Amino acid sequence: MRFLRVREVVPMVGFSKNTLYARVRAGTFPKPVALGPQTTAFLEGEVLDWMKAQATQCRGYSNPTLKKLAGTRKKASGGRNV
């Protein structure tokens, strides 16, 4: 598991920092966790799960397709679950 700062999440999801936080407030994107009094980060697994859910909803992927995509991602990362 990794913590991702907002500057890492924005290019992953393809929308601006303002849109990202608007979606967090609306409950349509995972909330960041507090790492300190003025430091927050997103959990990588939650961001990736959100991205998979968006792909499923928009493209109508079946569960076997997602399993195949997840397996490919796992192999590419050296076998660790990212």
Side-chain angles (χ1 to χ4, degrees), residues 20-71:
L20 175 72
Y21 281 113
R23 290 183 180 214
V24 168
R25 284 190 301 278
T28 59
F29 195 83
K31 291 182 179 181
V33 295
L35 300 179
Q38 295 182 349
T39 305
T40 62
F42 294 87
L43 295 175
E44 181 182 43
E46 290 181 356
V47 173
L48 294 174
D49 288 345
W50 178 87
M51 292 171 70
K52 282 190 266 184
Q54 294 305 300
T56 300
Q57 184 178 19
C58 294
R59 303 275 188 194
Y61 290 139
S62 64
N63 283 337
T65 302
L66 282 179
K67 286 181 182 177
K68 182 179 177 184
L69 290 171

